[in-house]
Amino acid sequence: MIKVLEKSIADKIAAGEVIDRPVSIIKELLENSIDAGADTITVEIKNGGKTYIRVTDNGCGIDSDQVETAFLRHATSKIDNVKDLDSIRTLGFRGEALASIAAVSRVELITCTADSKAGRKVVIEGSQVIQNIQTGCPQGTTITVRDLFYNVPARRKFLSSDNAEARKITELVSRMALAYSDIRINLINGSKRVFSTQGKGNIFNNIISIYGSDTGRDLIPIEAESYGFLLKGFISSPAATVPTRNKEIFCVNGRVISSRIIQEGLEQAYDEKLFGGRFPIAFLFLFVPPEKIDVNIHPTKKEIRFDDDFEVKDFITKAASRALNSINAVPKARSEHISQPIFRPADKQYENKVAENVNEYEFQREKDEEKVTEEQVDINNILETMRKSQQSVKATAEEIERETAEEVNATAANNPFDFDSLSIIGSVFNTYILASDGQSFFMIDQHAAHERIFYEKFMNQYNSQDKLCQQLLIPINIGASAQVVSREEEWMELLKKAGYDIEFFGNNRYIIREIPAFMSMDEGESFVRDMFEEFDTKPDLKSKTAVDRIITKSCKSAVKAGDILKPEEITALIDQLKDCRNPFSCPHGRPTFIRITKYEIEKMFKRV
């Protein structure tokens, strides 16, 4: 027999599509606060958000007569008709968040609008209104959520530990804080302030406040405009990578998302610049006309659909490639203070471009004057915590801004690095080549540079159909272990693809009659010996990562070390490095270049 479910049961089922853990609640409440125009938001949690969540904002608030309506399913102020779905400009729009939260927890909402003399307090438990009274409070909304899944114990037992849930929340709020750098966002876990952003629109400041200065040191500014898209953000140099994709953060029109298309576009720009199993750091903020995306394809809006995937992927790849070939990709010498990379899209000209090219989309919200009035209950404590947290990062932020204002760097973020502008000065320690372009001083590690050149020549040979080889007048006779001999079929193909003519000679020995054309005889022999040694670790050559690791390690002993280079040899080295796809790091991830700006040198001598 078919029957209609009771409302309480239907609400719990529907809530399961939107709310599966504490971080889901915080995502929905944060989005509502941002949509409400708040410029200060505080998120508080206890026990990983399982027993207590409070989100406080100074947004527009909810009219008293609409507070209960806001908790009804599909009640929304953000769309009016079906056509609005084709051009959504808000984070929330379905009207499911508050209804879903209230169905599986105990909720208290206190809100007040700018033109109201008093606010409203509503208490709801399991979708049932327990209290609806007038109360005194400042403009904005505070929502407190207690005892998540108290009425659905089967769901509660699947939650992770307090620390695990708190980590998920920290990750989400961190990403939202980066996406909305013009909003002061504070996160408090128990009695501990996790982080606090300034809300001054400085993405770079937020990155180092949340992820630390070590992450900020190796970031390259990226900006691009094409296809009607605008992109800004930061990506890491190839020398600064991480073992997971956790720091690949993408935001489209203010919405933090997961996107296979953006991920593939980004990582394609790093092709052959990173080892297998290593990933770039990226904070990418993409702005597109709202009608070119569909945000209504995922229950929690974690994913979006682009009208043209290839267009987006190509745009991201080209933008990232330009940044990776710019002077900003050259690692800078470490100094006591961290200087902010030059990043022009943050200025007013960029904001005007956004309004003009992206269908007049509102990326920067109008700011009202800050209103700090008397709070209900213990809101004063929250504001005091916020003030203290802002003061704690004030000194660092002011120092960064001061250095940024003082540093003169006329090079645009995406201008390619001009090798031809380098004037070779000499070398020191038979290791480092010294050069200058008039604005910066460079130290080039000749060993790392040789490694990069050798590696790319080898890979070009390995992947090419036409093998350039040289026949040896006197063949090389080389020994191998029983382990290497027993697995000959696996490594033999690798060497032949690289341009070797090698065959078994008996008694665990091999004869090499041809080597790649770009190698000297010593290099050709050293490479095979090192490859045999690496192969003794029993790698699986079916894995591209393992092959890459063997080639990379084997290249190390094939390069010149400690040689005294003549001026013409230095010039030839720089010319060959210029032709590399990734001239700024060796195959092992170490930098080939180190850059010190004129300003930094003057600072060392106390001239500025």
Side-chain angles (χ1 to χ4, degrees):
M1 185 175 94
I2 299 175
K3 59 183 179 180
V4 178
L5 291 174
E6 295 179 8
K7 181 179 181 300
S8 60
I9 299 175
D11 285 348
K12 291 183 179 66
I13 294 173
E17 297 180 1
V18 180
I19 307 300
D20 60 348
R21 56 192 342 114
V23 69
S24 305
I25 292 177
I26 293 190
K27 176 181 182 294
E28 299 293 344
L29 296 183
L30 261 178
E31 290 181 349
N32 280 349
S33 293
I34 292 169
D35 285 341
D39 61 18
T40 300
I41 304 172
T42 297
V43 177
E44 296 175 272
I45 62 171
K46 295 177 182 176
N47 304 117
K50 291 185 283 189
T51 61
Y52 184 89
I53 294 171
R54 178 161 62 184
V55 177
T56 302
D57 68 56
N58 64 347
C60 64
I62 305 173
D63 291 328
S64 296
D65 60 347
Q66 295 183 345
V67 171
E68 288 193 28
T69 304
F71 283 90
L72 298 178
R73 193 161 300 281
H74 306 308
T76 180
S77 62
K78 299 166 186 177
I79 60 174
D80 294 317
N81 54 62
V82 69
K83 291 183 179 180
D84 291 339
L85 292 175
D86 296 329
S87 184
I88 293 173
R89 301 173 183 271
T90 55
L91 296 177
F93 56 90
R94 295 174 181 159
E96 295 179 304
L98 292 181
S100 297
I101 295 168
V104 292
S105 63
R106 310 180 201 274
V107 178
E108 176 186 279
L109 179 146
I110 298 175
T111 187
C112 184
T113 59
D115 55 359
S116 297
K117 295 181 179 179
R120 203 75 188 170
K121 174 181 177 180
V122 175
V123 177
I124 298 178
E125 295 184 4
S127 298
Q128 299 299 313
V129 177
I130 306 300
Q131 188 180 51
N132 185 346
I133 61 173
Q134 190 178 77
T135 188
C137 62
Q139 178 185 333
T141 301
T142 297
I143 297 183
T144 305
V145 180
R146 295 181 173 87
D147 303 328
L148 177 61
F149 298 140
Y150 79 97
N151 54 355
V152 194
R155 297 286 302 281
R156 187 170 54 200
K157 69 181 181 181
F158 286 104
L159 294 178
S160 301
S161 66
D162 292 356
N163 287 338
E165 296 295 344
R167 282 196 299 270
K168 295 179 186 296
I169 292 170
T170 300
E171 181 179 326
L172 169 79
V173 180
S174 299
R175 296 184 176 198
M176 294 291 283
L178 294 179
Y180 291 90
S181 56
D182 57 337
I183 300 177
R184 291 188 294 273
I185 296 182
N186 309 274
L187 175 60
I188 301 170
N189 184 2
S191 59
K192 178 183 177 182
R193 177 184 61 82
V194 180
F195 69 81
S196 177
T197 63
Q198 292 181 294
K200 292 184 177 180
N202 191 315
I203 296 173
F204 184 78
N205 277 1
N206 284 2
I207 290 173
I208 64 172
S209 294
I210 296 169
Y211 293 97
S213 59
D214 285 346
T215 296
R217 288 182 194 277
D218 297 306
L219 293 181
I220 307 165
I222 178 173
E223 56 178 290
E225 179 181 0
S226 184
Y227 299 118
F229 304 151
L230 291 173
L231 176 70
K232 63 177 181 177
F234 296 90
I235 59 176
S236 63
S237 68
T241 59
V242 289
T244 70
R245 291 190 174 97
N246 286 346
K247 287 187 179 178
E248 290 185 6
I249 297 173
F250 310 135
C251 181
V252 177
N253 289 5
R255 190 182 303 277
V256 179
I257 61 161
S258 298
S259 173
R260 179 182 56 82
I261 300 303
I262 297 178
Q263 173 192 305
E264 289 178 355
L266 171 70
E267 293 180 3
Q268 186 170 316
Y270 285 85
D271 188 35
E272 295 189 11
K273 290 181 170 65
L274 303 181
F275 294 121
R278 302 295 295 184
F279 303 96
I281 300 170
F283 305 95
L284 298 182
F285 305 90
L286 177 64
F287 302 96
V288 306
E291 63 271 13
K292 284 195 171 186
I293 57 174
D294 184 358
V295 300
N296 194 27
I297 65 168
H298 192 278
T300 60
K301 304 185 286 290
K302 291 180 180 178
E303 299 175 6
I304 64 173
R305 181 182 291 120
F306 295 101
D307 277 3
D308 190 330
D309 289 348
F310 173 80
E311 201 174 58
V312 174
K313 182 178 176 180
D314 183 63
F315 174 65
I316 298 294
T317 299
K318 289 179 178 177
S321 295
R322 284 194 297 271
L324 291 173
N325 289 322
S326 72
I327 191 171
N328 292 297
V330 181
K332 295 181 68 175
R334 302 283 178 169
S335 59
E336 182 180 354
H337 299 291
I338 175 173
S339 297
Q340 176 176 351
I342 301 301
F343 184 44
R344 289 184 171 76
D347 60 22
K348 291 296 180 183
Q349 183 181 3
Y350 177 77
E351 294 174 15
N352 293 337
K353 285 182 181 179
V354 171
E356 177 182 348
N357 291 299
V358 192
N359 212 20
E360 298 184 355
Y361 185 79
E362 184 184 0
F363 297 113
Q364 301 292 331
R365 287 181 169 76
E366 294 289 337
K367 297 292 187 297
D368 296 328
E369 291 185 358
E370 184 176 359
K371 301 179 179 69
V372 180
T373 58
E374 291 185 1
E375 295 265 11
Q376 81 288 359
V377 200
D378 58 345
I379 297 299
N380 280 326
N381 295 332
I382 301 173
L383 292 175
E384 181 61 25
T385 301
M386 290 160 54
R387 282 192 291 270
K388 288 180 180 179
S389 65
Q390 291 163 5
Q391 291 171 0
S392 69
V393 297
K394 183 178 180 181
T396 300
E398 288 178 349
E399 175 66 14
I400 291 171
E401 291 172 356
R402 183 187 66 78
E403 290 193 16
T404 301
E406 291 174 348
E407 182 171 4
V408 179
N409 185 348
T411 305
N414 289 334
N415 281 357
F417 180 66
D418 185 9
F419 278 88
D420 295 331
S421 69
L422 293 180
S423 296
I424 306 300
I425 300 170
S427 65
V428 294
F429 312 129
N430 296 332
T431 302
Y432 304 106
I433 298 169
L434 309 181
S436 173
D437 66 356
Q439 294 294 325
S440 298
F441 172 73
F442 298 88
M443 297 181 69
I444 305 163
D445 185 335
Q446 66 186 39
H447 306 149
H450 271 296
E451 284 185 324
R452 168 51 62 182
I453 294 166
F454 189 95
Y455 174 79
E456 292 206 7
K457 283 183 176 180
F458 189 98
M459 292 306 298
N460 288 339
Q461 177 96 330
Y462 182 81
N463 294 317
S464 174
Q465 295 295 325
D466 299 322
K467 310 299 181 185
L468 300 178
C469 308
Q470 56 178 317
Q471 190 170 2
L472 300 177
L473 184 61
I474 302 175
I476 298 171
N477 189 308
I478 189 170
S481 68
Q483 167 72 12
V484 171
V485 174
S486 67
R487 299 176 65 185
E488 177 184 298
E489 291 183 1
E490 298 178 50
W491 57 261
M492 183 69 78
E493 180 66 19
L494 186 153
L495 286 180
K496 287 185 175 180
K497 285 186 68 175
Y500 279 88
D501 179 3
I502 181 171
E503 65 180 4
F504 188 62
F505 192 62
N507 198 27
N508 286 6
R509 303 197 71 82
Y510 288 86
I511 287 291
I512 301 173
R513 293 188 171 88
E514 287 185 358
I515 61 174
F518 66 88
M519 292 185 184
S520 68
M521 187 170 178
D522 288 342
E523 288 173 341
E525 181 178 353
S526 294
F527 181 86
V528 176
R529 290 187 184 280
D530 286 344
M531 198 208 75
F532 282 176
E533 182 178 337
E534 176 64 22
F535 197 78
D536 273 331
T537 61
K538 301 181 181 180
D540 178 11
L541 288 189
K542 295 179 181 179
S543 164
K544 182 182 180 300
T545 302
V547 172
D548 190 68
R549 183 165 59 88
I550 288 176
I551 295 172
T552 300
K553 287 194 173 184
S554 299
C555 286
K556 187 172 181 63
S557 63
V559 301
K560 300 175 182 178
D563 291 349
I564 299 175
L565 299 183
K566 298 177 182 178
E568 56 269 25
E569 290 177 317
I570 291 176
T571 301
L573 176 67
I574 299 301
D575 286 342
Q576 291 179 74
L577 190 62
K578 177 175 67 175
D579 294 333
C580 290
R581 285 184 292 273
N582 175 28
F584 302 130
S585 67
C586 78
H588 308 276
R590 295 187 297 107
T592 56
F593 275 56
I594 290 294
R595 176 169 64 106
I596 308 174
T597 65
K598 180 181 177 183
Y599 169 78
E600 288 171 328
I601 295 175
E602 290 176 337
K603 188 167 61 173
M604 294 176 191
F605 284 98
K606 310 296 183 183
R607 296 174 64 91
V608 293

